[in-house]
Amino acid sequence: MTLAIFDLDNTLIGGDSDNLWGQFVCEQALVDSDSFARDNERFYRDYQAGTLDVDAYLRFALGPLKGRSPAELAPLHRQFMREKIEPIMLPQALRLIDSHRRQGHRLLVITATNHFITRPIVDALGIADLLACEAEISDGRYTGEPVGIPSYHSGKVLRLRAWLQQQQLDLAGSWFYSDSHNDLPLLEQVDYAVAVDPDPILKARALEANWPIISLRD
């Protein structure tokens, strides 16, 4: 079965859900807003620059979940979806997803953002399969600690390989859509790499490799 793989943030949606969640928890006074907002923006700049310490970032991003259960957080996430995510959903992204679905391709989102944030977003996009950074839960509550290999940079390749083995699939004929140079390790693995509204580094690599460059925001 042909795989159509998608990055999420700034690819299928017109913004970064991780960064927006950071803004949201500040607005909801779940954190010390001033210091959290500064660190949130600093980590986002590191991500854009390709210098992110992903383990440090995950502990930071998962901090507001600590001691809370998924059930307690569900109403907050619904509000987050209404206020932050629904306004940046991209109709062209939905059409792209549907075009692959109609071709009988299996759809997968792989993202460096954590599973708590992204699962409802990916559900809204109509995609069942998701690989995301995982958060530890103990006694029914988030501990604030990440678990497993982060699905970031080359970690996306490692997570995908493990998933392919589990699903008894391979990358023959596969597609991957991304906006970020952080995804170059995975873009180099697929048969059809597509740069979506790419950052400058990815755009330069796409031009060099003759990969398609598209926009889902027009």
Side-chain angles (χ1 to χ4, degrees):
M1 177 176 286
T2 298
L3 273 178
I5 308 167
F6 306 89
D7 176 50
L8 179 63
D9 297 309
N10 286 308
T11 300
L12 291 181
I13 58 176
D16 186 284
S17 61
D18 226 351
N19 186 256
L20 289 170
W21 173 257
Q23 296 175 23
F24 178 77
V25 297
C26 289
E27 293 165 6
Q28 299 303 310
L30 299 179
V31 293
D32 180 335
S33 296
D34 291 340
S35 64
F36 192 93
R38 285 194 301 271
D39 287 342
N40 192 47
E41 291 306 313
R42 175 174 58 82
F43 278 118
Y44 188 48
R45 290 193 299 271
D46 288 348
Y47 171 80
Q48 292 175 314
T51 59
L52 181 68
D53 179 338
V54 66
D55 291 319
Y57 177 67
L58 285 172
R59 287 183 173 86
F60 165 78
L62 296 172
L65 310 186
K66 186 175 180 178
R68 295 180 167 94
S69 70
E72 287 175 56
L73 289 163
L76 272 175
H77 200 294
R78 287 193 291 270
Q79 182 182 352
F80 171 67
M81 289 288 292
R82 289 193 305 271
E83 295 180 5
K84 300 294 187 183
I85 300 302
E86 289 176 10
I88 60 170
M89 296 289 272
L90 301 172
Q92 287 204 56
L94 295 174
R95 288 193 285 272
L96 174 64
I97 291 166
D98 188 57
S99 73
H100 280 283
R101 183 181 290 112
R102 285 187 282 104
Q103 293 175 73
H105 297 168
R106 184 158 178 181
L107 311 178
L108 169 68
V109 168
I110 183 164
T111 174
T113 301
N114 71 69
H115 191 275
F116 165 76
I117 293 173
T118 55
R119 179 71 267 178
I121 302 172
V122 174
D123 285 343
L125 293 169
I127 297 177
D129 291 312
L130 168 66
L131 295 176
C133 291
E134 297 293 340
E136 182 181 58
I137 295 178
S138 179
D139 297 325
R141 297 183 180 275
Y142 288 102
T143 68
E145 290 294 314
V147 292
I149 297 171
S151 44
Y152 168 69
H153 200 264
S154 58
K156 283 194 176 183
V157 177
L158 296 175
R159 291 285 303 279
L160 178 60
R161 285 176 179 166
W163 183 84
L164 289 170
Q165 185 174 20
Q166 181 186 52
Q167 299 293 319
Q168 298 184 324
L169 296 171
D170 59 39
L171 288 176
S174 57
W175 298 73
F176 181 41
Y177 295 84
S178 178
D179 72 293
S180 174
H181 69 277
N182 289 299
D183 284 337
L184 281 169
L186 182 50
L187 286 160
E188 301 281 0
Q189 298 291 313
V190 299
D191 287 341
Y192 301 104
V194 183
V196 181
D197 300 293
D199 63 38
I201 296 174
L202 177 55
K203 184 175 182 180
R205 176 68 184 113
L207 290 169
E208 178 186 32
N210 200 30
W211 295 339
I213 299 173
I214 67 170
S215 175
L216 296 178
R217 305 190 188 205
D218 296 338

